Amino acid sequence: MKTEDKTNTSLKTAELVKKARDGNRLSFQELVGMFQEDIYRLAYYRTFSQMDAEDLSQDVFEQAYRKMSSLQDPQRFRAWLYSIAVNRCNDFLRKRKYLALLQMRSAQEHDFMDTGKDMSNSDNDRIEKKRFWKQVKSMLHRLSAMERQVFTLRFMDHRDINEIAAILDKNESTIKTHLYRALNKIKGHAEFFKEYRGSLS
């Protein structure tokens, strides 16, 4: 996206946030439309479940609407919304892990590939999609919690370093350190991520 387009989008977002903060539901619905796909993708890449991602996305926007008055700077809406989404997903995953330990959830429930988004009907495509997600899952298990958060925000949610820093409330240097550690851990494990090594700014 061009700088001018980003500026215009940012100004439009800030204006909608101001109106939504004053109780304008239509403005908030427009914000939902602008960010719904991003928040769904964020939730999906953490749960690997279409149903859970849809539920979490709805929860995130409901929580955002309730807390709109707490957002002092409308320009920070995107980072603020992502922070809510990341925290909500973390809560969900902690709860899911706890329930799994108690209930010994079945292998079918653990098989997140079966809920892959937009899966092709082709047998070859299905096999390739499963292989891809197995590789992603294997990689993420190699990372610490913070490395996983930074890596996912950077490469799956396509957030810039400064935005990740705002979302996670860390300085950019810390974010880059965790990102490099994550990349070093998975070096050679996933060829399709190597192209991103030069785009850390």
Side-chain angles (χ1 to χ4, degrees):
M1 184 181 293
K2 296 179 181 179
T3 302
E4 183 178 351
D5 292 337
K6 284 186 177 180
T7 301
N8 291 337
T9 299
S10 180
L11 291 173
K12 179 182 179 181
T13 299
E15 188 62 32
L16 289 171
V17 169
K18 291 175 184 177
K19 293 179 180 179
R21 204 168 49 183
D22 291 336
N24 188 317
R25 284 182 172 271
L26 289 178
S27 294
F28 185 77
Q29 285 302 316
E30 192 166 348
L31 287 169
V32 173
M34 291 171 65
F35 292 99
Q36 191 165 32
E37 184 176 343
D38 289 344
I39 297 304
Y40 171 87
R41 185 171 56 246
L42 184 152
Y44 181 79
Y45 284 142
R46 286 155 179 78
T47 64
F48 297 104
S49 163
Q50 183 175 350
M51 183 175 67
D52 290 336
E54 290 172 352
D55 290 343
L56 285 167
S57 298
Q58 183 175 341
D59 289 348
V60 167
F61 285 110
E62 287 177 355
Q63 188 173 347
Y65 185 77
R66 291 196 302 269
K67 294 184 174 182
M68 283 295 291
S69 60
S70 70
L71 177 61
Q72 300 301 317
D73 182 3
Q75 296 283 352
R76 294 193 71 254
F77 177 77
R78 184 201 290 270
W80 178 77
L81 183 66
Y82 266 73
S83 294
I84 292 175
V86 168
N87 290 333
R88 180 68 188 88
C89 288
N90 287 344
D91 289 343
F92 172 82
L93 292 172
R94 279 193 292 268
K95 182 178 180 181
R96 187 170 72 174
K97 184 176 180 180
Y98 177 71
L99 289 175
L101 290 173
L102 290 180
Q103 301 172 10
M104 298 299 290
R105 298 171 82 184
S106 69
Q108 183 179 10
E109 289 173 313
H110 278 296
D111 188 9
F112 64 90
M113 281 82 70
D114 287 346
T115 58
K117 187 182 179 185
D118 298 329
M119 184 175 286
S120 166
N121 289 326
S122 163
D123 289 339
N124 288 336
D125 285 347
R126 280 200 297 271
I127 292 170
E128 187 63 23
K129 188 105 175 180
K130 278 195 172 188
R131 189 184 68 79
F132 173 84
W133 286 119
K134 282 181 180 179
Q135 193 170 27
V136 170
K137 186 177 181 182
S138 175
M139 284 192 306
L140 294 180
H141 280 313
R142 293 167 176 249
L143 309 180
S144 69
M146 180 57 71
E147 289 165 355
R148 189 161 50 247
Q149 292 278 23
V150 172
F151 183 87
T152 307
L153 283 165
R154 182 71 180 104
F155 296 117
M156 295 181 177
D157 301 321
H158 307 294
R159 299 298 100 201
D160 293 332
I161 296 297
N162 61 343
E163 194 168 3
I164 297 172
I167 291 168
L168 299 179
D169 195 23
K170 304 287 184 183
N171 61 54
E172 291 186 23
S173 177
T174 299
I175 296 302
K176 286 185 177 181
T177 297
H178 285 294
L179 185 56
Y180 277 117
R181 286 177 181 171
L183 288 170
N184 284 333
K185 285 183 180 180
I186 65 172
K187 184 178 179 181
H189 186 70
E191 296 295 329
F192 47 85
F193 280 125
K194 284 188 175 180
E195 63 187 275
Y196 290 106
R197 288 188 65 86
S199 58
L200 302 178
S201 58

